[in-house]
Amino acid sequence: MARIVAGIGSSHVPAIGAALDNGKTEEPYWKRIFSGFEKSQAWMRETKPDVAIIVYNDHASAFSVEMIPTFALGCAAEFPPADEGWGPRPVPVVQGHPALASHIAQSVILDEFDLTICNKMEVDHGMTVPMNLLFGKVEKHGHWPCPVIPLAVNVVMYPPPTGHRCYMLGRAIRKAVESYPDDLKVVIFGTGGLSHQISGPRAGLINSKWDKNFLDNLSSNPQKLVKIPHLDYMREAGAEGIEMVMWLIMRGALDDKVDEVYRFYTVPASNTAVGHIILANRERGSGRKSAAKVAARSKRSPARLKRAAARTKVERIRG
Ligand SMILES: [Fe+2]
């Protein structure tokens, strides 16, 4: 059967994509951010997922104010890049996985989550920036390392879905994946955030205390997050901080108890807090290497390997 081995949370700041596309990754301002994802890219290379489900939000690239689905699942064979502002990023067309996506659509809809099915959809920086941060830079005519199933969530126009609804959708997605007959290793991304506000009197708001508390609870106590009302996100994390509900879809697709593989947090990127976390499901007698073990093995120092053998390695880099 297919199974979700890990969840990845990542901000999707558009300026990070622009820095990568314009060769600025070695500039001190941007190096501080890109270096925080180097271990994650090593982890991803060793984990080698067969498919990635990426929860993100569209920024008026595929949809507009004329039509905004709450949850839109990409079931197409491919998804061309598009973007507002700077235009399409020079990244490859994203290959989909129509068979698994259609299976997820059927399972989740019959579980009473009313997804919109997208058989044609463009994808913007909300999805391609986290892909670059985790998969590394890929030339426009190259290939992303695995197929992707996009799940676009409306967090741009009121009312967005609740955190609880997102978490429960994650649960339904996990059930769907685990009922797919092929032996696929799947990872799921939650993207967006963390705290930021783009416009208005509070433009530039960043709340690191809130962000770090969110990451702590996401890792070890997600039930504390699922009932947070929209107003609390907006008050504490800024108007665009509501994007963080998308991380709860990722978290809902994981075990109740997970191993935190890696964490990175820094401020600012553009005017946004950058947060990143990798959470691995624990091995459950499948005979396959768990994502946490792969992560532990990817750290080369003997001292680290020894500690990893004793218990799951939790790494935190605090910016
Ligand atoms: Fe966004």
Side-chain angles (χ1 to χ4, degrees):
M1 72 175 191
R3 65 199 181 96
I4 294 175
V5 297
I8 298 125
S10 172
S11 299
H12 62 214
V13 185
I16 294 177
L20 182 69
D21 300 340
N22 293 301
K24 296 182 177 177
T25 56
E26 291 302 311
E27 292 182 4
Y29 182 90
W30 294 109
K31 192 173 177 62
R32 168 180 57 91
I33 294 157
F34 286 103
S35 62
F37 288 82
E38 287 171 0
K39 288 183 180 176
S40 313
Q41 291 180 15
W43 174 87
M44 189 63 88
R45 283 193 296 272
E46 294 215 27
T47 300
K48 287 189 179 68
D50 298 305
V51 185
I53 299 168
I54 301 187
V55 182
Y56 76 108
N57 68 284
D58 177 75
H59 301 77
S61 301
F63 310 116
S64 72
V65 291
E66 294 174 354
M67 191 184 336
I68 304 182
T70 301
F71 299 113
L73 189 72
C75 295
E78 59 181 34
F79 305 94
D83 234 309
E84 93 274 46
W86 290 299
R89 297 187 55 223
V91 294
V93 170
V94 177
Q95 300 302 312
H97 196 300
L100 178 58
S102 300
H103 176 83
I104 291 172
Q106 172 179 278
S107 176
V108 168
I109 289 170
L110 294 182
D111 265 344
E112 303 179 347
F113 287 88
D114 305 319
L115 300 186
T116 297
I117 296 169
C118 295
N119 291 320
K120 184 178 182 184
M121 183 165 71
E122 295 177 325
V123 292
D124 68 15
H125 70 268
M127 200 174 93
T128 60
V129 165
M131 288 175 71
N132 278 132
L133 289 172
L134 272 295
F135 296 134
K137 185 174 172 67
V138 185
E139 297 302 328
K140 185 177 179 182
H141 299 294
H143 299 280
W144 296 107
C146 70
V148 170
I149 298 174
L151 175 60
V153 179
N154 169 36
V155 288
V156 297
M157 176 169 275
Y158 189 82
T162 63
H164 181 255
R165 185 66 170 163
C166 288
Y167 187 83
M168 296 310 291
L169 176 58
R171 286 276 172 97
I173 289 171
R174 176 183 184 150
K175 179 181 166 192
V177 168
E178 292 184 348
S179 64
Y180 190 72
D182 290 0
D183 188 21
L184 297 177
K185 189 193 288 185
V186 179
V187 295
I188 180 166
F189 287 52
T191 74
L194 294 179
S195 59
H196 64 301
Q197 177 150 339
I198 292 172
S199 59
R202 297 199 308 161
L205 179 147
I206 287 177
N207 185 344
S208 295
K209 188 177 175 195
W210 161 277
D211 291 337
K212 291 176 181 179
N213 193 45
F214 185 89
L215 292 171
D216 286 344
N217 284 324
L218 192 77
S219 182
S220 59
N221 197 359
Q223 292 304 327
K224 270 188 136 176
L225 302 177
V226 298
K227 294 289 172 61
I228 296 175
H230 290 145
L231 272 178
D232 283 12
Y233 281 102
M234 297 188 69
R235 185 186 301 116
E236 300 295 332
E240 279 71 34
I242 192 65
E243 290 182 348
M244 292 159 83
V245 296
M246 295 188 290
W247 292 43
L248 296 178
I249 297 178
M250 172 273 281
R251 188 61 182 88
L254 303 180
D255 293 344
D256 290 341
K257 293 192 181 308
V258 292
D259 295 321
E260 183 174 326
V261 175
Y262 181 66
R263 184 191 299 201
F264 174 65
Y265 182 85
T266 189
V267 292
S270 186
N271 57 1
T272 306
V274 174
H276 169 47
I277 200 165
I278 300 176
L279 302 171
N281 276 339
R282 295 175 177 175
E283 194 170 27
R284 290 179 300 166
S286 68
R288 297 179 71 176
K289 294 183 182 72
S290 74
K293 283 186 176 176
V294 169
R297 204 181 63 229
S298 74
K299 298 176 176 62
R300 303 295 180 198
S301 101
R304 282 185 168 178
L305 284 172
K306 195 174 174 187
R307 286 200 298 275
R311 62 179 178 78
T312 301
K313 181 81 179 75
V314 177
E315 275 211 27
R316 297 181 179 188
I317 298 177
R318 299 198 181 273

